[in-house]
Structure formats: structure tokens, C-alpha cells
Short mmCIF file of all heavy atoms in Angstrom, two decimals:
data_model
loop_
_atom_site.label_atom_id
_atom_site.label_comp_id
_atom_site.label_asym_id
_atom_site.label_seq_id
_atom_site.Cartn_x
_atom_site.Cartn_y
_atom_site.Cartn_z
N GLY A 1 50.83 -7.36 -24.52
CA GLY A 1 51.45 -6.89 -23.33
C GLY A 1 52.38 -5.72 -23.60
O GLY A 1 52.77 -5.47 -24.72
N GLY A 2 52.71 -5.07 -22.54
CA GLY A 2 53.62 -3.94 -22.62
C GLY A 2 55.04 -4.34 -22.36
O GLY A 2 55.39 -5.50 -22.37
N ASP A 3 55.83 -3.35 -22.12
CA ASP A 3 57.25 -3.60 -21.82
C ASP A 3 57.38 -4.25 -20.45
O ASP A 3 56.67 -3.90 -19.52
CB ASP A 3 58.03 -2.28 -21.81
CG ASP A 3 58.01 -1.58 -23.15
OD1 ASP A 3 57.71 -2.25 -24.15
OD2 ASP A 3 58.29 -0.38 -23.19
N ARG A 4 58.28 -5.18 -20.34
CA ARG A 4 58.63 -5.77 -19.05
C ARG A 4 60.10 -5.51 -18.84
O ARG A 4 60.94 -6.23 -19.37
CB ARG A 4 58.35 -7.26 -19.02
CG ARG A 4 56.89 -7.59 -19.14
CD ARG A 4 56.61 -9.04 -18.97
NE ARG A 4 57.60 -9.87 -19.63
CZ ARG A 4 57.70 -11.17 -19.46
NH1 ARG A 4 56.87 -11.79 -18.67
NH2 ARG A 4 58.63 -11.87 -20.08
N GLY A 5 60.42 -4.47 -18.12
CA GLY A 5 61.81 -4.08 -17.93
C GLY A 5 62.52 -4.99 -16.94
O GLY A 5 61.93 -5.88 -16.36
N GLY A 6 63.80 -4.75 -16.79
CA GLY A 6 64.57 -5.48 -15.81
C GLY A 6 65.36 -6.62 -16.41
O GLY A 6 65.35 -6.86 -17.60
N ARG A 7 66.02 -7.36 -15.55
CA ARG A 7 66.86 -8.49 -15.95
C ARG A 7 66.15 -9.79 -15.63
O ARG A 7 65.02 -9.80 -15.18
CB ARG A 7 68.20 -8.42 -15.20
CG ARG A 7 69.03 -7.23 -15.56
CD ARG A 7 69.75 -7.47 -16.85
NE ARG A 7 70.42 -6.26 -17.27
CZ ARG A 7 70.64 -6.00 -18.53
NH1 ARG A 7 70.26 -6.79 -19.46
NH2 ARG A 7 71.27 -4.89 -18.85
N GLY A 8 66.83 -10.87 -15.85
CA GLY A 8 66.28 -12.16 -15.49
C GLY A 8 65.20 -12.64 -16.44
O GLY A 8 64.22 -13.23 -16.02
N GLY A 9 65.35 -12.39 -17.71
CA GLY A 9 64.41 -12.91 -18.69
C GLY A 9 63.31 -11.95 -19.07
O GLY A 9 62.44 -12.30 -19.84
N GLY A 10 63.31 -10.74 -18.53
CA GLY A 10 62.28 -9.78 -18.90
C GLY A 10 62.47 -9.29 -20.34
O GLY A 10 63.56 -9.30 -20.87
N TRP A 11 61.39 -8.89 -20.95
CA TRP A 11 61.44 -8.38 -22.32
C TRP A 11 61.55 -6.86 -22.29
O TRP A 11 60.90 -6.21 -21.49
CB TRP A 11 60.17 -8.77 -23.07
CG TRP A 11 60.07 -10.22 -23.31
CD1 TRP A 11 59.42 -11.14 -22.52
CD2 TRP A 11 60.63 -10.95 -24.38
NE1 TRP A 11 59.55 -12.38 -23.04
CE2 TRP A 11 60.30 -12.31 -24.19
CE3 TRP A 11 61.40 -10.60 -25.49
CZ2 TRP A 11 60.69 -13.30 -25.07
CZ3 TRP A 11 61.80 -11.60 -26.36
CH2 TRP A 11 61.44 -12.92 -26.14
N LEU A 12 62.35 -6.32 -23.20
CA LEU A 12 62.45 -4.88 -23.38
C LEU A 12 62.08 -4.58 -24.82
O LEU A 12 62.53 -5.27 -25.73
CB LEU A 12 63.87 -4.39 -23.11
CG LEU A 12 64.41 -4.64 -21.72
CD1 LEU A 12 65.89 -4.26 -21.66
CD2 LEU A 12 63.63 -3.83 -20.71
N ARG A 13 61.30 -3.54 -25.03
CA ARG A 13 60.94 -3.15 -26.40
C ARG A 13 61.47 -1.75 -26.66
O ARG A 13 61.25 -0.84 -25.87
CB ARG A 13 59.43 -3.14 -26.58
CG ARG A 13 58.82 -4.48 -26.59
CD ARG A 13 57.38 -4.34 -26.95
NE ARG A 13 56.71 -5.60 -26.71
CZ ARG A 13 55.43 -5.78 -26.84
NH1 ARG A 13 54.66 -4.77 -27.19
NH2 ARG A 13 54.90 -6.95 -26.61
N PHE A 14 62.14 -1.61 -27.80
CA PHE A 14 62.63 -0.32 -28.22
C PHE A 14 62.98 -0.43 -29.69
O PHE A 14 63.13 -1.52 -30.23
CB PHE A 14 63.85 0.13 -27.40
CG PHE A 14 64.97 -0.86 -27.41
CD1 PHE A 14 65.96 -0.80 -28.37
CD2 PHE A 14 65.04 -1.87 -26.47
CE1 PHE A 14 66.98 -1.73 -28.40
CE2 PHE A 14 66.05 -2.79 -26.48
CZ PHE A 14 67.03 -2.72 -27.45
N ALA A 15 63.08 0.70 -30.36
CA ALA A 15 63.46 0.72 -31.77
C ALA A 15 64.97 0.95 -31.82
O ALA A 15 65.44 2.04 -31.51
CB ALA A 15 62.72 1.83 -32.50
N PRO A 16 65.76 -0.07 -32.17
CA PRO A 16 67.22 0.05 -32.09
C PRO A 16 67.81 1.15 -32.95
O PRO A 16 68.84 1.70 -32.60
CB PRO A 16 67.72 -1.32 -32.52
CG PRO A 16 66.60 -1.97 -33.23
CD PRO A 16 65.34 -1.37 -32.69
N LEU A 17 67.15 1.49 -34.04
CA LEU A 17 67.68 2.56 -34.89
C LEU A 17 67.22 3.94 -34.42
O LEU A 17 67.91 4.93 -34.63
CB LEU A 17 67.27 2.35 -36.35
CG LEU A 17 67.74 1.03 -36.97
CD1 LEU A 17 67.30 0.95 -38.43
CD2 LEU A 17 69.25 0.88 -36.85
N ASP A 18 66.07 3.99 -33.78
CA ASP A 18 65.54 5.27 -33.30
C ASP A 18 66.03 5.64 -31.92
O ASP A 18 66.02 6.81 -31.56
CB ASP A 18 64.00 5.22 -33.27
CG ASP A 18 63.40 5.07 -34.65
OD1 ASP A 18 64.07 5.42 -35.65
OD2 ASP A 18 62.25 4.58 -34.73
N ASP A 19 66.43 4.64 -31.13
CA ASP A 19 66.80 4.89 -29.75
C ASP A 19 68.07 4.12 -29.37
O ASP A 19 68.01 3.14 -28.62
CB ASP A 19 65.64 4.52 -28.83
CG ASP A 19 65.78 5.09 -27.43
OD1 ASP A 19 66.85 5.65 -27.11
OD2 ASP A 19 64.82 4.96 -26.66
N PRO A 20 69.24 4.54 -29.89
CA PRO A 20 70.46 3.81 -29.60
C PRO A 20 70.83 3.79 -28.12
O PRO A 20 71.45 2.84 -27.64
CB PRO A 20 71.54 4.53 -30.42
CG PRO A 20 70.94 5.81 -30.86
CD PRO A 20 69.45 5.66 -30.80
N ARG A 21 70.40 4.80 -27.36
CA ARG A 21 70.68 4.79 -25.92
C ARG A 21 69.94 3.65 -25.23
O ARG A 21 70.47 3.02 -24.32
CB ARG A 21 70.30 6.13 -25.29
CG ARG A 21 71.25 7.23 -25.66
CD ARG A 21 70.92 8.50 -24.90
NE ARG A 21 71.69 9.60 -25.43
CZ ARG A 21 71.23 10.81 -25.60
NH1 ARG A 21 70.00 11.10 -25.26
NH2 ARG A 21 72.01 11.75 -26.09
N ALA A 22 68.70 3.41 -25.64
CA ALA A 22 67.94 2.30 -25.06
C ALA A 22 68.59 0.97 -25.41
O ALA A 22 68.62 0.05 -24.58
CB ALA A 22 66.49 2.33 -25.55
N PHE A 23 69.12 0.85 -26.62
CA PHE A 23 69.81 -0.37 -27.04
C PHE A 23 71.03 -0.60 -26.14
O PHE A 23 71.23 -1.69 -25.60
CB PHE A 23 70.22 -0.24 -28.50
CG PHE A 23 70.52 -1.53 -29.21
CD1 PHE A 23 70.62 -1.54 -30.59
CD2 PHE A 23 70.72 -2.72 -28.54
CE1 PHE A 23 70.90 -2.71 -31.28
CE2 PHE A 23 71.00 -3.90 -29.22
CZ PHE A 23 71.09 -3.89 -30.59
N ALA A 24 71.83 0.43 -25.95
CA ALA A 24 73.02 0.31 -25.11
C ALA A 24 72.64 0.01 -23.66
O ALA A 24 73.27 -0.83 -23.01
CB ALA A 24 73.86 1.59 -25.19
N LYS A 25 71.61 0.65 -23.16
CA LYS A 25 71.17 0.41 -21.78
C LYS A 25 70.69 -1.03 -21.62
O LYS A 25 70.99 -1.69 -20.63
CB LYS A 25 70.07 1.38 -21.38
CG LYS A 25 69.63 1.24 -19.94
CD LYS A 25 68.75 2.40 -19.55
CE LYS A 25 68.19 2.28 -18.16
NZ LYS A 25 69.09 1.95 -17.12
N ALA A 26 69.97 -1.53 -22.60
CA ALA A 26 69.48 -2.92 -22.54
C ALA A 26 70.63 -3.91 -22.55
O ALA A 26 70.52 -5.00 -21.99
CB ALA A 26 68.55 -3.19 -23.72
N ALA A 27 71.75 -3.54 -23.17
CA ALA A 27 72.90 -4.44 -23.29
C ALA A 27 73.83 -4.41 -22.08
O ALA A 27 74.69 -5.28 -21.96
CB ALA A 27 73.68 -4.09 -24.55
N GLU A 28 73.65 -3.44 -21.19
CA GLU A 28 74.56 -3.31 -20.04
C GLU A 28 74.63 -4.61 -19.25
O GLU A 28 73.60 -5.21 -18.93
CB GLU A 28 74.11 -2.17 -19.13
CG GLU A 28 74.38 -0.82 -19.71
CD GLU A 28 73.84 0.31 -18.84
OE1 GLU A 28 73.19 0.05 -17.82
OE2 GLU A 28 74.08 1.47 -19.22
N GLY A 29 75.83 -5.07 -18.98
CA GLY A 29 76.04 -6.27 -18.20
C GLY A 29 75.97 -7.56 -18.99
O GLY A 29 76.22 -8.63 -18.44
N ALA A 30 75.65 -7.47 -20.25
CA ALA A 30 75.57 -8.68 -21.09
C ALA A 30 76.96 -9.13 -21.51
O ALA A 30 77.89 -8.34 -21.57
CB ALA A 30 74.71 -8.41 -22.32
N ARG A 31 77.09 -10.40 -21.83
CA ARG A 31 78.35 -10.93 -22.36
C ARG A 31 78.36 -10.89 -23.88
O ARG A 31 79.42 -10.99 -24.49
CB ARG A 31 78.56 -12.35 -21.87
CG ARG A 31 78.82 -12.39 -20.36
CD ARG A 31 79.12 -13.77 -19.89
NE ARG A 31 77.91 -14.59 -20.07
CZ ARG A 31 77.89 -15.90 -19.95
NH1 ARG A 31 78.97 -16.56 -19.67
NH2 ARG A 31 76.76 -16.57 -20.11
N ALA A 32 77.18 -10.76 -24.49
CA ALA A 32 77.10 -10.72 -25.95
C ALA A 32 75.76 -10.11 -26.36
O ALA A 32 74.80 -10.13 -25.59
CB ALA A 32 77.23 -12.11 -26.55
N ILE A 33 75.72 -9.59 -27.58
CA ILE A 33 74.48 -9.16 -28.20
C ILE A 33 74.25 -10.10 -29.37
O ILE A 33 75.13 -10.28 -30.22
CB ILE A 33 74.56 -7.71 -28.71
CG1 ILE A 33 74.66 -6.74 -27.54
CG2 ILE A 33 73.36 -7.38 -29.58
CD1 ILE A 33 74.87 -5.30 -27.95
N LEU A 34 73.08 -10.71 -29.41
CA LEU A 34 72.68 -11.57 -30.52
C LEU A 34 71.69 -10.78 -31.36
O LEU A 34 70.58 -10.49 -30.92
CB LEU A 34 72.05 -12.86 -30.01
CG LEU A 34 71.47 -13.80 -31.06
CD1 LEU A 34 72.54 -14.22 -32.06
CD2 LEU A 34 70.85 -15.01 -30.39
N ASN A 35 72.08 -10.41 -32.56
CA ASN A 35 71.27 -9.57 -33.43
C ASN A 35 70.58 -10.45 -34.46
O ASN A 35 71.20 -10.95 -35.38
CB ASN A 35 72.15 -8.52 -34.12
CG ASN A 35 71.34 -7.57 -34.96
OD1 ASN A 35 70.40 -6.98 -34.47
ND2 ASN A 35 71.71 -7.42 -36.21
N LEU A 36 69.27 -10.66 -34.29
CA LEU A 36 68.48 -11.45 -35.22
C LEU A 36 67.52 -10.59 -36.02
O LEU A 36 66.68 -11.11 -36.73
CB LEU A 36 67.69 -12.53 -34.47
CG LEU A 36 68.52 -13.53 -33.68
CD1 LEU A 36 67.63 -14.46 -32.88
CD2 LEU A 36 69.43 -14.32 -34.61
N ALA A 37 67.62 -9.30 -35.87
CA ALA A 37 66.74 -8.37 -36.57
C ALA A 37 67.16 -8.26 -38.02
O ALA A 37 68.34 -8.35 -38.35
CB ALA A 37 66.80 -6.99 -35.91
N GLY A 38 66.19 -8.07 -38.89
CA GLY A 38 66.56 -7.88 -40.27
C GLY A 38 65.38 -7.88 -41.21
O GLY A 38 64.31 -8.37 -40.91
N VAL A 39 65.61 -7.32 -42.37
CA VAL A 39 64.64 -7.25 -43.45
C VAL A 39 64.89 -8.43 -44.38
O VAL A 39 66.04 -8.70 -44.73
CB VAL A 39 64.81 -5.91 -44.22
CG1 VAL A 39 63.85 -5.84 -45.39
CG2 VAL A 39 64.62 -4.74 -43.28
N VAL A 40 63.84 -9.14 -44.77
CA VAL A 40 64.02 -10.29 -45.65
C VAL A 40 63.39 -10.11 -47.03
O VAL A 40 63.61 -10.92 -47.92
CB VAL A 40 63.51 -11.60 -45.01
CG1 VAL A 40 64.32 -11.93 -43.78
CG2 VAL A 40 62.04 -11.50 -44.68
N ARG A 41 62.61 -9.06 -47.20
CA ARG A 41 61.99 -8.80 -48.51
C ARG A 41 62.13 -7.32 -48.85
O ARG A 41 62.17 -6.48 -47.98
CB ARG A 41 60.51 -9.15 -48.48
CG ARG A 41 60.23 -10.59 -48.26
CD ARG A 41 58.72 -10.83 -48.30
NE ARG A 41 58.39 -12.11 -47.76
CZ ARG A 41 58.27 -13.22 -48.46
NH1 ARG A 41 58.44 -13.17 -49.76
NH2 ARG A 41 57.96 -14.34 -47.89
N GLY A 42 62.19 -7.06 -50.14
CA GLY A 42 62.24 -5.68 -50.58
C GLY A 42 63.34 -5.45 -51.58
O GLY A 42 64.05 -6.38 -51.98
N ASP A 43 63.49 -4.21 -51.97
CA ASP A 43 64.52 -3.86 -52.94
C ASP A 43 65.86 -3.71 -52.23
O ASP A 43 65.97 -3.93 -51.02
CB ASP A 43 64.14 -2.58 -53.68
CG ASP A 43 63.98 -1.37 -52.77
OD1 ASP A 43 64.37 -1.45 -51.58
OD2 ASP A 43 63.47 -0.35 -53.24
N GLY A 44 66.87 -3.36 -52.97
CA GLY A 44 68.21 -3.21 -52.41
C GLY A 44 68.27 -2.22 -51.26
O GLY A 44 68.97 -2.45 -50.28
N ALA A 45 67.53 -1.14 -51.38
CA ALA A 45 67.54 -0.13 -50.31
C ALA A 45 66.94 -0.69 -49.03
O ALA A 45 67.44 -0.45 -47.93
CB ALA A 45 66.79 1.12 -50.75
N ALA A 46 65.85 -1.45 -49.16
CA ALA A 46 65.23 -2.04 -47.98
C ALA A 46 66.16 -3.06 -47.34
O ALA A 46 66.32 -3.10 -46.11
CB ALA A 46 63.90 -2.70 -48.35
N LEU A 47 66.80 -3.88 -48.16
CA LEU A 47 67.71 -4.90 -47.63
C LEU A 47 68.96 -4.28 -47.00
O LEU A 47 69.57 -4.87 -46.12
CB LEU A 47 68.09 -5.89 -48.73
CG LEU A 47 66.92 -6.72 -49.26
CD1 LEU A 47 67.36 -7.55 -50.46
CD2 LEU A 47 66.34 -7.60 -48.17
N ALA A 48 69.32 -3.08 -47.44
CA ALA A 48 70.49 -2.40 -46.87
C ALA A 48 70.27 -2.06 -45.39
O ALA A 48 71.23 -1.85 -44.65
CB ALA A 48 70.80 -1.13 -47.65
N ALA A 49 69.01 -2.05 -44.96
CA ALA A 49 68.72 -1.80 -43.55
C ALA A 49 69.36 -2.86 -42.66
O ALA A 49 69.64 -2.61 -41.49
CB ALA A 49 67.21 -1.74 -43.31
N ASN A 50 69.62 -4.05 -43.21
CA ASN A 50 70.27 -5.09 -42.41
C ASN A 50 71.66 -4.65 -41.96
O ASN A 50 72.07 -4.94 -40.84
CB ASN A 50 70.35 -6.40 -43.20
CG ASN A 50 68.98 -6.98 -43.42
OD1 ASN A 50 68.11 -6.88 -42.57
ND2 ASN A 50 68.77 -7.59 -44.56
N THR A 51 72.37 -3.95 -42.81
CA THR A 51 73.68 -3.42 -42.44
C THR A 51 73.53 -2.39 -41.33
O THR A 51 74.30 -2.39 -40.36
CB THR A 51 74.38 -2.80 -43.66
OG1 THR A 51 74.51 -3.79 -44.67
CG2 THR A 51 75.74 -2.24 -43.30
N THR A 52 72.54 -1.53 -41.46
CA THR A 52 72.30 -0.50 -40.45
C THR A 52 71.96 -1.13 -39.11
O THR A 52 72.44 -0.69 -38.06
CB THR A 52 71.18 0.44 -40.92
OG1 THR A 52 71.53 0.96 -42.20
CG2 THR A 52 70.98 1.59 -39.95
N LEU A 53 71.14 -2.18 -39.12
CA LEU A 53 70.78 -2.87 -37.87
C LEU A 53 71.99 -3.55 -37.24
O LEU A 53 72.17 -3.50 -36.02
CB LEU A 53 69.68 -3.89 -38.14
CG LEU A 53 68.29 -3.28 -38.40
CD1 LEU A 53 67.38 -4.31 -39.08
CD2 LEU A 53 67.69 -2.79 -37.11
N ALA A 54 72.83 -4.16 -38.05
CA ALA A 54 74.04 -4.80 -37.52
C ALA A 54 74.97 -3.76 -36.91
O ALA A 54 75.54 -3.97 -35.84
CB ALA A 54 74.74 -5.58 -38.62
N ARG A 55 75.11 -2.63 -37.58
CA ARG A 55 75.96 -1.56 -37.05
C ARG A 55 75.40 -1.00 -35.75
O ARG A 55 76.15 -0.61 -34.85
CB ARG A 55 76.14 -0.46 -38.08
CG ARG A 55 77.06 -0.88 -39.19
CD ARG A 55 77.28 0.24 -40.17
NE ARG A 55 78.28 -0.16 -41.15
CZ ARG A 55 78.41 0.39 -42.33
NH1 ARG A 55 77.61 1.39 -42.70
NH2 ARG A 55 79.33 -0.03 -43.17
N ALA A 56 74.08 -0.95 -35.63
CA ALA A 56 73.46 -0.48 -34.38
C ALA A 56 73.80 -1.43 -33.24
O ALA A 56 74.06 -0.99 -32.11
CB ALA A 56 71.94 -0.37 -34.55
N ALA A 57 73.82 -2.73 -33.51
CA ALA A 57 74.19 -3.71 -32.49
C ALA A 57 75.65 -3.52 -32.07
O ALA A 57 75.97 -3.57 -30.88
CB ALA A 57 73.96 -5.13 -33.00
N VAL A 58 76.52 -3.29 -33.03
CA VAL A 58 77.93 -3.05 -32.72
C VAL A 58 78.08 -1.76 -31.90
O VAL A 58 78.83 -1.71 -30.93
CB VAL A 58 78.78 -3.00 -34.00
CG1 VAL A 58 80.19 -2.52 -33.72
CG2 VAL A 58 78.80 -4.37 -34.67
N GLY A 59 77.34 -0.73 -32.27
CA GLY A 59 77.40 0.53 -31.52
C GLY A 59 76.90 0.36 -30.10
O GLY A 59 77.49 0.92 -29.16
N ALA A 60 75.83 -0.40 -29.91
CA ALA A 60 75.32 -0.65 -28.56
C ALA A 60 76.33 -1.42 -27.73
O ALA A 60 76.55 -1.14 -26.56
CB ALA A 60 74.00 -1.40 -28.62
N ALA A 61 76.99 -2.39 -28.36
CA ALA A 61 78.01 -3.16 -27.66
C ALA A 61 79.16 -2.27 -27.24
O ALA A 61 79.64 -2.33 -26.10
CB ALA A 61 78.52 -4.30 -28.55
N ARG A 62 79.60 -1.44 -28.14
CA ARG A 62 80.71 -0.53 -27.85
C ARG A 62 80.34 0.42 -26.71
O ARG A 62 81.11 0.63 -25.79
CB ARG A 62 81.08 0.25 -29.11
CG ARG A 62 82.31 1.10 -28.97
CD ARG A 62 82.70 1.77 -30.27
NE ARG A 62 83.10 0.77 -31.25
CZ ARG A 62 82.68 0.72 -32.51
NH1 ARG A 62 81.84 1.62 -32.96
NH2 ARG A 62 83.10 -0.21 -33.32
N ALA A 63 79.13 0.96 -26.77
CA ALA A 63 78.70 1.94 -25.76
C ALA A 63 78.50 1.32 -24.38
O ALA A 63 78.65 2.00 -23.37
CB ALA A 63 77.39 2.60 -26.20
N SER A 64 78.19 0.03 -24.34
CA SER A 64 77.90 -0.60 -23.05
C SER A 64 78.98 -1.58 -22.59
O SER A 64 78.82 -2.22 -21.56
CB SER A 64 76.54 -1.31 -23.10
OG SER A 64 76.56 -2.29 -24.12
N GLY A 65 80.06 -1.70 -23.37
CA GLY A 65 81.16 -2.56 -22.97
C GLY A 65 80.93 -4.04 -23.20
O GLY A 65 81.58 -4.87 -22.57
N VAL A 66 80.02 -4.39 -24.08
CA VAL A 66 79.76 -5.80 -24.38
C VAL A 66 80.84 -6.28 -25.35
O VAL A 66 81.05 -5.67 -26.40
CB VAL A 66 78.36 -5.98 -24.99
CG1 VAL A 66 78.12 -7.42 -25.41
CG2 VAL A 66 77.29 -5.54 -23.99
N PRO A 67 81.53 -7.39 -25.02
CA PRO A 67 82.67 -7.80 -25.83
C PRO A 67 82.35 -8.52 -27.15
O PRO A 67 83.21 -8.61 -28.01
CB PRO A 67 83.45 -8.75 -24.90
CG PRO A 67 82.41 -9.30 -23.99
CD PRO A 67 81.40 -8.19 -23.81
N ARG A 68 81.13 -9.03 -27.32
CA ARG A 68 80.82 -9.80 -28.53
C ARG A 68 79.49 -9.37 -29.13
O ARG A 68 78.52 -9.10 -28.41
CB ARG A 68 80.70 -11.28 -28.21
CG ARG A 68 81.97 -11.95 -27.86
CD ARG A 68 81.68 -13.40 -27.46
NE ARG A 68 82.73 -13.95 -26.64
CZ ARG A 68 82.94 -13.70 -25.36
NH1 ARG A 68 82.14 -12.90 -24.72
NH2 ARG A 68 83.92 -14.25 -24.71
N VAL A 69 79.44 -9.39 -30.47
CA VAL A 69 78.19 -9.19 -31.20
C VAL A 69 78.09 -10.33 -32.21
O VAL A 69 79.01 -10.55 -32.98
CB VAL A 69 78.15 -7.84 -31.94
CG1 VAL A 69 76.88 -7.71 -32.76
CG2 VAL A 69 78.27 -6.68 -30.96
N LEU A 70 76.98 -11.04 -32.16
CA LEU A 70 76.72 -12.10 -33.12
C LEU A 70 75.57 -11.66 -34.00
O LEU A 70 74.50 -11.31 -33.51
CB LEU A 70 76.35 -13.40 -32.39
CG LEU A 70 77.37 -13.86 -31.36
CD1 LEU A 70 76.79 -14.93 -30.46
CD2 LEU A 70 78.62 -14.34 -32.04
N VAL A 71 75.79 -11.65 -35.31
CA VAL A 71 74.76 -11.26 -36.27
C VAL A 71 74.41 -12.50 -37.06
O VAL A 71 75.27 -13.11 -37.69
CB VAL A 71 75.26 -10.14 -37.20
CG1 VAL A 71 74.19 -9.78 -38.22
CG2 VAL A 71 75.66 -8.91 -36.40
N ALA A 72 73.15 -12.89 -37.01
CA ALA A 72 72.70 -14.08 -37.71
C ALA A 72 71.65 -13.70 -38.75
O ALA A 72 70.97 -12.70 -38.64
CB ALA A 72 72.13 -15.09 -36.73
N SER A 73 71.54 -14.54 -39.73
CA SER A 73 70.58 -14.34 -40.80
C SER A 73 69.74 -15.60 -40.93
O SER A 73 69.86 -16.54 -40.15
CB SER A 73 71.33 -14.03 -42.09
OG SER A 73 70.42 -13.66 -43.10
N SER A 74 68.91 -15.65 -41.94
CA SER A 74 68.11 -16.83 -42.20
C SER A 74 68.20 -17.17 -43.68
O SER A 74 68.71 -16.40 -44.48
CB SER A 74 66.65 -16.58 -41.82
OG SER A 74 66.03 -15.74 -42.78
N ALA A 75 67.68 -18.29 -44.03
CA ALA A 75 67.67 -18.71 -45.43
C ALA A 75 66.83 -17.78 -46.30
O ALA A 75 66.97 -17.77 -47.52
CB ALA A 75 67.16 -20.15 -45.55
N ALA A 76 65.97 -16.97 -45.68
CA ALA A 76 65.12 -16.04 -46.43
C ALA A 76 65.94 -15.05 -47.25
O ALA A 76 65.47 -14.56 -48.27
CB ALA A 76 64.19 -15.30 -45.48
N VAL A 77 67.15 -14.76 -46.84
CA VAL A 77 67.94 -13.78 -47.56
C VAL A 77 68.51 -14.33 -48.87
O VAL A 77 68.99 -13.57 -49.70
CB VAL A 77 69.12 -13.24 -46.70
CG1 VAL A 77 68.58 -12.57 -45.46
CG2 VAL A 77 70.11 -14.32 -46.36
N TYR A 78 68.42 -15.63 -49.07
CA TYR A 78 68.96 -16.23 -50.29
C TYR A 78 67.95 -16.31 -51.41
O TYR A 78 68.25 -16.77 -52.49
CB TYR A 78 69.53 -17.63 -49.99
CG TYR A 78 70.63 -17.56 -48.98
CD1 TYR A 78 70.46 -18.05 -47.70
CD2 TYR A 78 71.85 -16.96 -49.30
CE1 TYR A 78 71.48 -17.96 -46.76
CE2 TYR A 78 72.86 -16.85 -48.36
CZ TYR A 78 72.68 -17.37 -47.11
OH TYR A 78 73.66 -17.27 -46.18
N GLY A 79 66.73 -15.86 -51.18
CA GLY A 79 65.71 -15.81 -52.23
C GLY A 79 64.93 -17.03 -52.27
O GLY A 79 64.34 -17.65 -52.92
#
């Protein structure tokens, strides 16, 4: 399927690092951003993308006035 825009449970697809405006627009009106995106395999440089993704979530929150950002990980990051 394609993008399903709007509110009320619709899905939005965008690349958070390539399109920070879309990330901020998607977050408008939200009470929090839950960031579950991340790299779980690769070298140190690949894993460093997790920091970049978390910062993108914080930037989207700041740009759209969202008061909370929750960044979660999984057991995959422990090897």
C-alpha cells in the first residue's frame, strides 16, 4: 500500500533523516514522539545512525511543539 495521510490512525511514510519537515509535520498536534527506529547490525559507523535518528526525533518535536520524545531500543543492541 501507499501512504495514508491524515490523523486518526493513518500511516505516514517518510525518511526522517532526508525529510525533517515531513517528520515535524507528522508530529503536529501529538503529545509525544515514540522513536523506535534504529540500526541493530553493522559496524560502529552504522550503529552511530541511531544517535542521528534520535536527534531527528528531538528536532521534529522541537519544530512542532511536541513536549516529549521517547527513544526505545531492543535487546538486539546488546549483541
Side-chain angles (χ1 to χ4, degrees):
D3 297 342
R4 295 186 320 169
R7 295 279 173 209
W11 293 93
L12 299 173
R13 289 187 191 175
F14 55 90
L17 301 181
D18 295 337
D19 196 351
R21 288 186 189 140
F23 199 166
K25 184 169 175 48
E28 287 176 356
R31 292 184 294 169
I33 292 175
L34 175 58
N35 184 53
L36 300 175
V39 177
V40 296
R41 296 182 195 267
D43 61 12
L47 295 173
N50 293 325
T51 301
T52 305
L53 287 162
R55 287 183 174 159
V58 170
R62 187 175 294 133
S64 59
V66 175
R68 290 175 202 76
V69 176
L70 305 166
V71 178
S73 188
S74 74
V77 300
Y78 300 110

